[in-house]
Amino acid sequence: MSLNKDQENMPPANPVDGDQEQTGSQDKGQSNGAHAGSYRPTVKDMQTDSVATLAEAWTKSDDDAQNYDAGVIERVYKDELLKNNFSINKLALLEVSQYLEKYLWPHYDPSQSSTIHVLSIVLMVNEKFRNRVEAWGTFEESPDNFSPFFAQVLRLCLQGSEDVDLRMKRYLLLFMINCFQSLENALIRSECMRLVSLSTWHSLVSAEKRDAEFKEYPQLLKFWKHLEKKFEGMDSAQQEKAVFERTWLSEMMKQFVEILDTTEDNEQDKIAYCERFLEFLIDLEAQLPTRRYFNTLIEDHQIVTICKLSKLASNKNAGTLFAQLLDILAFYVGFEINGHTGLALTKEDMIEIHASRLSKLQRIAFTHFKDELLDLAMTNLGTIENRKSLQQHFNNLSQEQLVQLCQLLHIRTSKITDPNAEHSRYMLLELLLLQFEKRHSQIERINALPLYPDENALFEDAAVKEEMYNADRPLALPKLNLQFLTLHDYLLRNFNLFRLESNYEIRQDIEDAVMRLAPRPGHTEGETVFSGWSRVAAPISNFKMVEVAKPNLGEDVPSLITADVTFNVRKYTPAIQAEWEAIREHDILFLLTMEAHEAMDDEWDNNRVSFRKHYGLKYVRGCEVLSVIGPNGRPFDYKKSDPQMIQDHRTGNTRTFRVALDPNQFKIDQDNMKKGGSDVYQSFNVVLRRKPQENNFKPVLETIRDLMQSDLMVPEWLHDVFLGYGNPNSAHYSQLQRQVREIDFRDTFLDLDHLKASFPGMTVKAKDGDESALDVPFIVKFPEAPEAGASSGSKKKKGEKTSKKGKGNKDQEGAQAQDELVVATYKTPNMGPYPEDIPNRNQVRFTPTQVEAIKAGTNPGLTLVVGPPGTGKTDVAVQIIANLYNNFPNQHTLLVTHSNQALNQLFEKIIALDVDERHLLRLGHGEEELNTELSFSKYGRVTSFLEKRMNLLAEVDRLARSLGIGGEHGSTCETAGYFNSYHVIPLWNEFERKVNDKEEAEQTLELVKDLFPFGEYFSNAPTPLFSESTTFDEALDVAQGCFRHLNKLFEQLEEVSAFELLRTSYDRANYLLTKEAKIIAMTCTHAALKRRELVNLGFKYDNIVMEEAAQILEVETFIPMLLQEPEDGVNRLKRVILIGDHNQLPPVVKNTAFQQFGNMEQSMFTRFVRLGVPTIELDAQGRARSDMADLYKWRYKNLGDLPNITERDEFKFANAGFVHDYQFINVDNYKGHGETAPRPHFIQNLGEAEYVVAVYQYMRLLGYPAEKITILTTYNGQKDLIRDVLNQRCSWNPIFGWPARVATVDKYQGQQNDYVLLSLVRTKAVGHVRDVRRLIVALSRARLGLYIFGRQKLFQNCHELEPAFKRLLKRPTKLTLKTGEMFPNTTRHVPIEADADAEAEEEQQQKQDGKKKSKKTTKKVAKKAKADADADKTKEYEIENVAQMGEYVFGMMKEQRTFAIQQQEAYMQSLQPLPPPPPSAGNDDADTEMAESSNDANITTDMEV
């Protein structure tokens, strides 16, 4: 799987960019699970379905009670849902029609609403979660009703009635799962947490069991007594409610066991309920707040043991998913964590706990069962920790003795459903064995796991095969939610999900390649031939095992297995051959075994036969390339080997790679062969490669596996927030003791006014008392923060009190007040007389919010910056990095982004600031795209340093000559250092001594000029060092600047001196990385790939700045934090700065099951926001026109505009040729069709494609530059169609050419252009634009013009899109052109709708009042009159449809052609020779001019020909 996702070529199953939604209506009788992840209601469904008639009750009514009819809810439930088996069609239609928001919840009355009303609300909430749209906001409109509603749901979960059957209980259970997955919501959390409180221990088997727990954790007893006392103070109704809540989970488990015990193979409703209940239990166990007391309860109720012994768990067909879920539940019930303290248990802790349990068993056995269990009591612990040994000992006990033993161990001996029914002997033995047997280590299992997927992992794993997530059934997958138990739990969940996602992508590539190869049976028996071809897969001509090395000490798998793979490239084009030659060391290949059979000639039917069986795919094995084998049988390199050998290699038709196979997989295969299996490694007949950017899954999995086995050290200040516990503010700089009170802001502020404006509410006080002397740069001292640690409410009061005290004692004690900034300044030292000595300065006038982000980033701790589109996220990040570089020169900063483009953008801006290029390093393969002449890669920096060394040494020689000092002082860095110590510094010291010894009257310019020893060396400065008007102080400052320049020269030589000792480029590059570089930039992909190498090199860094953080997967964000080993058991990381926008698109996950069920698309940035970690949201955008930004401003808190939006001319003037700067253009069916799908999941709309291209042509004819126009669409199919249309209409014509970019919205995130043409494609269903995050990205890419093409009646009714489309549809939905204008010559101003509305209101009011117009109004009228006069010169022209736009553009082309011909004819006529003038005497000059003119005409004519 690629960490740098290429969304442009996504496979069909990707819901983000792969045209996935199923748009046709489905069978009415289908269950809630059928294609649950894919169905979206079409316009036809919404208009013709019977739900549409009923929906009029809420779509056309107000919220008042008189329009409410409870019978409508009854009819919807019984006639539309129940009769149709809760069809997903019906539920989706009801959700889209806002059934919950407009009818169910506004009219919910706890005292009167029926059970069906409650169940309907539950179904709608579940449907919203299925569609991944916001579900809880509706309830916050009347939060008082939520608690009684929730109580009704709890009772219905346990109730059995006609309305609440087992299927409905499953839906209720799903609602509870959704609630417990939303604990960040205070409304939900307050209800859910009462169900898992300490009071649930009332349901334990006995008081003795509870007392034993209290004895181990005495602090719980105090809390228990508090709860009991609180219970006693309640009235009877409150007590009844409290008893119900504390026993609810116990009763639910009893109900589950009853259903499980009666489940048969064909009872799908019961099986589905049991699976869903296990998912519910797993969710409770996997979050520490819910697990804390519930884990004791579930162990007491013996759920894991009951499930393991059930018939369903042993059913290989019906019980497969149940068994998989049970394994996950068992793992979490026994997870290595102390549930009460929240501390992770180490391997040693687990051994100690296990040993103490066995010791307790031995003591009881010796005391009470001496005759039967004497051997168990007296033996060592190691011999009784396995299941077989324990079972032999326990078999000596009778039934009564087993019961007695369990009671002594506080193990329940009767069924939870019937306290009078005693457990069977088999059950009691299983309970004892599960309690005392040693658990297998999860680390050992993962170490034994092959990192490459085999054929079973790719094609038989149910999760990988789940292309369309079925929301009606859970999956045996981990979930990435808000919280994790430990760092090990965090990595384990990510490891499993990442591995499965990688397998899914690999399977798709293999399927595509195999189908293209078209395997067929050969002429001889068992032969497989290939009738097709694939550019990424080639038949193997020879496979040879080379080496199987002995295992390392303590291991049982070979340490290395290598083989040679040979294949023929003769039939490939040179371009494809070059792709195979581009494969380099560490790339991953896949070896396939295909066994053809006769049935292959039939068309593959996925519903009838599996892909593997149909195409004869028998084995799949992964391998890593070690080297390319040359013609002589030895490894060689295309770049470094002998040119003749490379030519010989390329001339041949065969290619050979030496590859390393997976040792774990090899051992498994060898074991299977010993049991009678075939030899896998002699059967391979196809080698397959993948795109390099998508094929880095192995090093990432290796990195995660390494992290799981290392002593992970997340910084202590970040640990709790990272796992999702405790106070979410605890990692903010304001809560940390190491706060930086005094910050040198360098060039952050442009002037004093900028500083004052950046801290509203604060008073600026000069440190020396003279404010007039304050100038850039500023050192700002902030007031001491109020003491942290109190609750937010009390802390505020405490802070206020402290502030007042501070103000009161200010004069007496000199203390700094809380609203006071003490500002100092200093003169920037003169660094030398050359231009490169002048430091670069920031030119951005940061807003107060941006300054707060910069301040927070400069302080230690966790900083989250939310950057809406165009708010200067990159500028903020760059300034933070520059401030850290200057304030903490000994610290190293790691800069990480998701894409190479964003990283290069950041890097280019860093180069432009006051950061020495010596301290910059760019790692990875995107460095070559940097827009700079300098190379900042590792080896580019080495070359640069070596070149710099030569230049610096030459300068030393020049300096020596200027001083008249002979010798080879510039031969090495060492000799240069001696020269500095013995000559340069003494000369400077002598100069300073002589100058300082003079009296003040003698300190003149001439004195400095005469004594300055380096005048000749600096004689090549652009300007003379000393002018006649220079004062003594100024001259001395210039001299000091010159010496600083020399100092820097010798400092650089000292830094580069190590390169004289390190002889290889590899050593020099690593020295540069670990010692010299202060700012190191890389993508998150590179960090994952190179983590092991960086750690081994001793790489260190103190700060991490992560851009595009909301687009990066959880684990991709985590790995860059751990690229170094702890120092003395402490992580040296001091700052984590995450910059992103969770309101835009999340990371790309192609498999919908992992994306939706596993929540794999959640970034760490988004999780922190959900947890309530303090964020700084940038609040001023400078990208788009203000009215265009209004289309997405509603998604953010207080998003305004930067001053440039009103000041710059490009934002003031209208778009030439268009009436509006943005517009939604309705596109009806074109040639009888709207959206089409030429192949499954490949959605196109020809009408929109033609319309978009016609508008593009129109803009080009008006003179708009092609590079300023981008065409976007929401689907890959449409992107390809638009490119096809452009290719036919524009690519061959230089007048049009290609636009800057044709891309999908997802692929264009993070980029912008002046003008954007957006095609929404869909006409049947809204599709994935319903995800508001995608809409925000789509609407925010344009700066000056946005023209959206879509189907109005489809999108205007979508609830999620309403805020944006409500504004879009205020303007005409037919494209309105302005004739008579050309780019960029329009003088027409953009009409501001708000001003026009205000003016109309003012005029209306004046008419009513009969007053005269004000002067302001008169000016407006005059201005309007002038604009109207200008407008008379042009006309508005409304385009009705696509065809008319095409005709209009064609007419423009004809006019321009006619005009061009006329211009050419006029030009040609102007070149004709004039008739000769009459002859006159002495007019030689005229004759000469005439001759020259004639010659020019002849030359021109020749050129024309």
Side-chain angles (χ1 to χ4, degrees), residues 1229-1234:
N1229 285 356
Y1230 179 66
K1231 296 184 178 180
H1233 296 286

Side-chain angles (χ1 to χ4, degrees), residues 488-545:
H488 176 80
D489 176 42
Y490 174 86
L491 289 169
L492 183 62
R493 295 194 212 184
N494 278 283
F495 180 88
N496 289 330
L497 281 175
F498 193 92
R499 181 169 165 268
L500 289 169
E501 168 75 356
S502 303
N503 292 355
Y504 175 75
E505 295 177 13
I506 293 166
R507 177 171 72 89
Q508 289 185 317
D509 289 345
I510 290 176
E511 286 180 352
D512 180 70
V514 167
M515 287 190 285
R516 292 178 186 276
L517 286 172
R520 295 287 183 270
H523 297 294
T524 61
E525 186 178 353
E527 181 187 8
T528 299
V529 296
F530 301 96
S531 58
W533 73 280
S534 169
R535 70 187 302 147
V536 298
I540 294 175
S541 54
N542 185 42
F543 181 87
K544 181 179 69 175
M545 297 295 293

Side-chain angles (χ1 to χ4, degrees), residues 1469-1504:
Q1469 289 177 2
S1470 69
L1471 297 176
Q1472 295 299 322
L1474 296 173
S1480 58
N1483 198 9
D1484 294 340
D1485 292 342
D1487 292 342
T1488 305
E1489 289 176 9
M1490 189 67 195
E1492 289 176 354
S1493 174
S1494 176
N1495 289 336
D1496 289 345
N1498 291 333
I1499 292 170
T1500 306
T1501 305
D1502 291 341
M1503 291 174 65
E1504 290 288 344

Side-chain angles (χ1 to χ4, degrees), residues 187-323:
L187 189 66
I188 309 301
R189 184 172 61 249
S190 63
E191 299 299 328
C192 289
M193 293 309 294
R194 292 202 296 270
L195 303 178
V196 291
S197 69
L198 183 59
S199 299
T200 57
W201 283 10
H202 277 282
S203 300
L204 295 181
V205 61
S206 63
E208 289 76 14
K209 166 82 170 175
R210 192 165 57 240
D211 292 340
E213 294 288 335
F214 290 153
K215 186 176 181 181
E216 189 172 357
Y217 301 101
Q219 70 274 19
L220 294 180
L221 180 59
K222 184 177 180 181
F223 186 36
W224 175 267
K225 290 179 178 178
H226 168 73
L227 292 176
E228 290 297 284
K229 186 176 180 181
K230 185 178 179 181
F231 179 79
E232 292 170 2
M234 297 178 181
D235 59 33
S236 57
Q238 291 173 327
Q239 286 186 347
E240 182 183 354
K241 181 185 176 186
V243 169
F244 173 76
E245 289 175 343
R246 75 191 187 191
T247 59
W248 184 80
L249 276 173
S250 177
E251 294 300 319
M252 286 290 288
M253 286 189 279
K254 291 175 185 177
Q255 178 179 266
F256 162 70
V257 171
E258 289 175 350
I259 294 170
L260 181 63
D261 288 343
T262 60
T263 300
E264 300 297 335
D265 295 355
N266 59 348
E267 295 184 294
Q268 289 301 315
D269 274 343
K270 287 187 176 181
I271 294 172
Y273 179 86
C274 292
E275 291 167 349
R276 188 65 77 183
F277 195 83
L278 285 191
E279 181 197 354
F280 177 57
L281 297 180
I282 291 168
D283 285 355
L284 293 179
E285 282 286 325
Q287 297 186 94
L288 191 58
T290 53
R291 171 195 175 88
R292 179 170 283 118
Y293 308 118
F294 175 69
N295 193 57
T296 303
L297 186 66
I298 195 173
E299 284 184 335
D300 174 78
H301 282 42
Q302 304 162 347
I303 295 298
V304 172
T305 308
I306 292 170
C307 291
K308 281 192 173 183
L309 300 182
S310 67
K311 291 186 293 183
L312 183 58
S314 58
N315 190 318
K316 298 296 183 184
N317 296 320
T320 303
L321 177 58
F322 180 84

Side-chain angles (χ1 to χ4, degrees), residues 868-873 1179-1193 1196 1199-1213 1215 1221-1222 1311-1316 1336-1347 1367 1371 1390 1392:
T871 51
K873 296 186 289 290
D1179 56 3
Q1181 68 88 26
R1183 172 184 295 175
R1185 301 182 192 271
S1186 184
D1187 58 338
M1188 287 173 58
D1190 288 341
L1191 295 173
Y1192 52 86
K1193 282 181 181 177
Y1196 301 93
L1199 184 58
D1201 297 323
L1202 289 170
N1204 68 305
I1205 297 297
T1206 55
E1207 294 170 359
R1208 289 170 61 177
D1209 286 344
E1210 63 178 347
F1211 293 109
K1212 294 178 182 178
F1213 294 111
N1215 297 334
D1221 51 357
Y1222 72 83
Q1311 301 173 60
Q1312 64 183 37
N1313 208 341
D1314 286 358
Y1315 306 96
V1316 169
I1336 296 300
V1337 175
L1339 297 178
S1340 59
R1341 299 306 96 198
R1343 297 181 61 250
L1344 304 175
L1346 173 65
Y1347 301 96
R1367 184 165 185 84
R1371 296 184 174 184
V1390 176
I1392 301 174

